[in-house]
Amino acid sequence: MQPQPPSSDQLRALDKAHLWHPFTQMQDWCAPEHEPLVIASGEGVWLRDTEGKQYIDGNSSIWTNIHGHGHSAINAAIRDQVDQISHCSGLGFTNKAAILLAEKLVQLFPPDTLTRVFYSDDGSTAIECACKMAIQYHQLDGQNERCAFVAFDQAYHGDTTGAASLGGIDTLHQRFSSFGFDTTHVRDLEQLKQLPAGMISKLSAIIIEPLIQGAAGMKLWPAGMLRELRLWCDAHNIFLILDEVMTGFGRTGTMFACEQEEVVPDFMALAKGLTGGYLPLAATLTREAVFEKFLGSQEEQKTFYYGHSYNANPLGCAAALANLEIFEIENTLEKLQGKIALLKTLLTEHLKPLGHVGEIRQCGFIVGIDIVRDKQSLTHWPAEQKTGAAVCLAARCHDLLTRPIGDTLVLMPPLCISNAELETAVTALAKSISLLTPDS
Ligand SMILES: *Cc1c(COP(=O)(O)O)cnc(C)c1O
């Protein structure tokens, strides 16, 4: 006899017995009244739990999914690759999927700009790789002192020690802030320009999430800021690292956010959406001039000694290739423009008039909605009330799953969402926000 598959309740009990979830107060998670959803399957923008209930994936499974779950082309690409080989080392060998993907990634940027691709596993490692390349470049250039970084207040660049040291969100980053890279945080471009010359001369690179800071609460940079930052970096001969881990792959309406201000960075970090949100794979792209600085005989010790076991993982690369091909075959970006406009209309009609909606920020297909206790004075509920989380919990009853950042609701569905599904998602938020009172 086949053993019975575990029930939802058994799975939940086992989870509470053995798992430790990210960014999660496990005392709350393990409390008897908390019944976590166990996700069993996904199709398009829909996630299905073990009880058969369906929800729209309102935050693209934490900002990763691009063309929907279970896309036949990505599934087929992964299956096909599994049948050939799932993993072989990028150290000492190479593989077809990794080669073809690198060519395709490079072609997404203006000719002769970002010509080199270094693979790793996730956003944090893509960032650390860029930082180490920047530091080592300057060492090889005889400028050992140029090893510091500027990052922005409220920035989020990942959780490994180096990446976290670039972060500027106190709750997430303060505890370990004395470890990692030598990083100065600035509020904006004005503050950057006021840094003392002695400090500027020690900078290796400036890192930024272009157009929009994600974990900060979907905060938009002023238009033109990125372009101006690029010019400032050029004037001071400082590398510009763009963290497009969240914004990459169409999320802002263009393939990459930096296109909107005609900026090309010196290092580009890509992860989350790279594989369409199917597998962990990341890439750090850089310029030929950076790459060439590391060339020399073995004895010269210029080699970039960095890499992870799953470098150039064929499964991830095959998924990423399929992800990029879908953009071409399905005209994803072209179709997206109408959806971005519709999203704007839906937000204006259904959310803006509501009593407890403050600022709504939209960057392409990424939306942050501030909920406020009082619309006139923009006052908030006490943070410990977790009002944003309560609204998202309520939205589940209207078929939408998403996660807030404090009292900022996040809506960033997969790009493949239909107009009708988009309306369902926005009205689900509207219905849930409508339940709020000043005493919520
Ligand atoms: C998610 C994210 C990261 C970190 O990526 P991981 O894959 O979680 O390590 C870095 N930067 C930005 C902007 C992100 O959104």
Side-chain angles (χ1 to χ4, degrees), residues 62-63 121-125 127 156-159 209 214-215 243-247 271-272:
I62 300 285
W63 320 350
D121 310 336
D122 48 50
S124 309
T125 52
I127 295 291
Y156 180 79
H157 299 294
D159 293 322
E209 297 157 83
D243 178 349
E244 293 233 23
V245 172
M246 175 185 78
T247 51
K272 290 193 170 99

Side-chain angles (χ1 to χ4, degrees), residues 45 56-66 69 212-215 218 245-252 272-273 336 343 347 361-369 400-403 405 409-417 422 425-426 429:
V45 298
I56 291 179
D57 188 357
N59 71 350
S60 296
S61 294
I62 300 285
W63 320 350
T64 57
N65 192 283
I66 301 289
H69 297 277
I212 179 168
Q213 286 186 316
M218 304 305 168
V245 172
M246 175 185 78
T247 51
F249 304 99
R251 204 69 76 177
T252 67
K272 290 193 170 99
L336 184 62
L343 179 54
L347 293 168
R361 296 175 293 279
Q362 182 181 3
C363 178
F365 228 39
I366 306 173
V367 180
I369 302 140
L400 178 73
L401 277 190
T402 187
R403 269 186 80 83
I405 300 166
L409 311 179
V410 172
L411 188 62
M412 47 186 297
L415 311 187
C416 67
I417 193 169
L422 198 54
V426 174
L429 286 180

Side-chain angles (χ1 to χ4, degrees), residues 11 23-24 27 53 81 102 106 113 136 148 164 199 217 233 238 314 317 354 399 404 411 422:
L11 288 170
F23 297 98
T24 301
Q27 182 170 301
K53 193 157 174 2
Q81 186 63 52
V106 163
T113 56
Q136 187 170 335
M199 192 178 253
C233 288
I238 294 167
C317 292
L354 297 180
D399 309 328
L411 188 62
L422 198 54

Side-chain angles (χ1 to χ4, degrees), residues 6-13 34-41 47-55 396:
S7 70
S8 301
D9 283 339
Q10 283 170 325
L11 288 170
R12 278 193 275 266
H34 178 236
E35 284 200 8
L37 294 183
V38 187
I39 302 297
S41 61
L47 293 172
R48 194 177 296 111
D49 69 14
T50 44
E51 262 123 65
K53 193 157 174 2
Q54 292 208 98
Y55 309 89
R396 281 191 199 178

Side-chain angles (χ1 to χ4, degrees), residues 13 40 42 56 134 143 185 192 215 218 230-231 316 320 348 428:
I56 291 179
Q143 302 186 80
H185 285 92
L192 171 69
M218 304 305 168
R230 174 75 270 186
L231 294 174
T348 309

